[in-house]
Amino acid sequence: MSDTSELSGEAREGLAERLALVRTSVAGAARSAGRDPAEITTIVVTKFQPLALVRALVGMGVHDVGENRAQEAAAKASELSGTPQADALRWHFIGQLQTNKAKQVRAFASAVHSVDRPALVAALARAGEAAEGVGETAPDLDCFIELALTDEPGRGGVAPGGMLDLAEQVLAAPGLRLRGVMAVAPLNEDARRAFARVREASERLRSLAEDATAISAGMSGDYVDAIAEGATHLRIGTAITGKRPERA
Ligand SMILES: *Cc1c(COP(=O)(O)O)cnc(C)c1O
């Protein structure tokens, strides 16, 4: 059954307003940092949000959306597939990813921001080869290496010392394109300081792979700090979508 419901006029208006506000604020933060706003991609994080919201965003000129659960994202992407909206959209997978979901994610995602271990690199590469085996050509998958900025267990990300080894594995894997680094600011630290470490890590990565210039950092509460430290991909949810519905 296909979900063709639409947002109410009021919900749509609120969404358009918040989107416009964030766009203005991102551009302003970029200029304050001496950067060109055009080099920054805002990914709207639509996790837990209904498909109607994704559709409305596309109507407002959004091309990049982010999701953090494989099953939910795959369901949304397949509901949209075959529609004009689908052609305009890139899906970014931003959550922790189990290797047994790699194939499911590879089927719809243009980018995975949470590459944090060798087994996942291998699984994502294999998932692309499997698609080719059935006569399709899997497009290259953009990969961001997720950095752990704290020692807190269970938050995902590779320890800074393991970044370059992991990067080499991505570079060697068929069908994967190393774009750069990704990080989530820790809760107990000044975001700007944390993002400064991400920028340093990005510089180290570029000494290995000069094209891997992307920095995925910055959420609703800290994107201005991320922009100041060179973020090229922001992952912004609630500041644009409004409150998330309770997790199902
Ligand atoms: C949910 C999420 C975001 C967006 O968070 P907001 O605070 O709603 O902007 C960004 N990155 C990741 C990895 C997330 O899981």
Side-chain angles (χ1 to χ4, degrees):
M1 203 177 64
S2 133
D3 172 7
T4 54
S5 57
E6 289 196 17
L7 293 188
S8 70
E10 195 186 344
R12 181 183 296 270
E13 247 171 61
L15 182 64
E17 249 167 54
R18 289 185 301 268
L19 179 64
L21 271 174
V22 168
R23 280 177 169 158
T24 305
S25 158
V26 166
R31 284 192 211 97
S32 303
R35 302 182 55 201
D36 179 358
E39 69 188 39
I40 296 174
T41 302
T42 297
I43 299 162
V44 184
V45 177
T46 51
K47 62 189 186 196
F48 311 148
Q49 300 285 358
L51 191 64
L53 184 133
V54 178
R55 282 209 190 87
L57 285 168
V58 177
M60 296 170 194
V62 167
H63 297 293
D64 295 272
V65 295
E67 290 277 339
N68 74 338
R69 291 196 301 182
Q71 205 146 335
E72 176 187 339
K76 285 178 183 167
S78 82
E79 280 259 3
L80 270 191
S81 76
T83 69
Q85 285 120 334
D87 295 335
L89 260 193
R90 283 181 293 266
W91 296 86
H92 297 254
F93 192 80
I94 63 173
Q96 286 188 31
L97 182 53
Q98 293 167 268
T99 51
N100 63 5
K101 301 271 171 64
K103 202 168 164 193
Q104 187 177 33
V105 165
R106 186 92 205 238
F108 68 84
S110 312
V112 171
H113 291 237
S114 44
V115 174
D116 64 356
R117 58 200 195 279
L120 183 55
V121 174
L124 288 169
R126 265 199 317 274
E129 287 170 349
E132 276 169 15
V134 295
E136 302 163 32
T137 314
D140 279 1
L141 180 71
D142 282 355
C143 292
F144 292 75
I145 293 190
E146 181 175 357
L147 303 169
L149 298 179
T150 67
D151 317 330
E152 272 174 72
R155 290 204 58 181
V158 64
M163 176 184 70
L164 291 179
D165 278 351
L166 194 58
E168 281 178 354
Q169 295 177 29
V170 175
L171 290 169
L176 304 185
R177 177 165 170 243
L178 182 64
R179 288 299 310 276
V181 291
M182 178 275 211
V184 177
L187 299 171
N188 55 358
E189 187 189 348
D190 176 63
R192 178 84 191 253
R193 269 186 45 201
F195 292 143
R197 298 209 301 283
V198 178
R199 187 205 279 269
E200 286 164 17
S202 167
E203 282 161 13
R204 281 201 306 280
L205 180 64
R206 275 179 280 165
S207 68
L208 173 74
E210 60 178 359
D211 295 336
T213 54
I215 299 179
S216 166
M219 316 188 352
S220 291
D222 57 21
Y223 66 85
V224 172
D225 285 323
I227 291 169
E229 294 297 341
T232 59
H233 291 69
L234 314 174
R235 307 177 312 270
I236 301 183
T238 51
I240 294 172
T241 63
K243 239 182 98 182
R244 273 187 283 276
E246 291 300 315
R247 174 191 273 275

